[in-house]
Amino acid sequence: AVVSTQSTGEESEDSYDTSSLDSDLHAESEEEMREYMRELEGQLGRSTLGESFEKGKDGDLDIDFNLVSNIMNSFSAESGLEGPASSVLASLGVKLPRNEDGF
């Protein structure tokens, strides 16, 4: 990116090349993310959280299934009251019917 500035009343224009700055910021944020992920993996490595996720037929984590399953479990736990799952679903325009038990 090139940033240009022009003073009022002057004919000259100064240009500053910010591509190296952009590149430095990108590299720095990538390294921060890698460090964050290493720390997160270290913390989660000691937990059994990963065992609670469903895996697909190929053995890979089934993100879509886990998302839907978790939001439905949360919605069910709300027992017909307003809660985080129903709020998120409502913000997405989704209105789920209550189950036959009145929830």
Side-chain angles (χ1 to χ4, degrees):
V2 175
V3 177
S4 299
T5 60
Q6 184 174 359
S7 305
T8 2
E10 291 183 18
E11 294 294 322
S12 67
E13 184 176 288
D14 296 324
S15 294
Y16 302 97
D17 185 5
T18 61
S19 59
S20 64
L21 179 61
D22 292 343
S23 177
D24 291 345
L25 289 174
H26 181 71
E28 185 177 309
S29 64
E30 276 189 27
E31 183 53 38
E32 286 177 7
M33 182 57 75
R34 282 190 198 100
E35 178 60 32
Y36 174 77
M37 293 303 293
R38 281 191 293 269
E39 188 172 324
L40 184 61
E41 286 172 1
Q43 291 174 4
L44 291 177
R46 296 183 296 266
S47 77
T48 58
L49 180 65
E51 297 169 14
S52 68
F53 294 114
E54 294 291 326
K55 304 221 185 318
K57 293 178 182 174
D58 57 0
D60 289 339
L61 186 63
D62 189 342
I63 301 278
D64 295 332
F65 177 81
N66 284 286
L67 172 70
V68 172
S69 176
N70 287 332
I71 202 150
M72 293 306 296
N73 287 335
S74 179
F75 180 79
S76 178
E78 292 173 2
S79 301
L81 303 173
E82 291 295 319
S86 57
S87 296
V88 168
L89 291 170
S91 73
L92 296 172
V94 176
K95 174 111 173 93
L96 293 177
R98 302 296 176 188
N99 70 20
E100 296 170 2
D101 296 328
F103 298 113

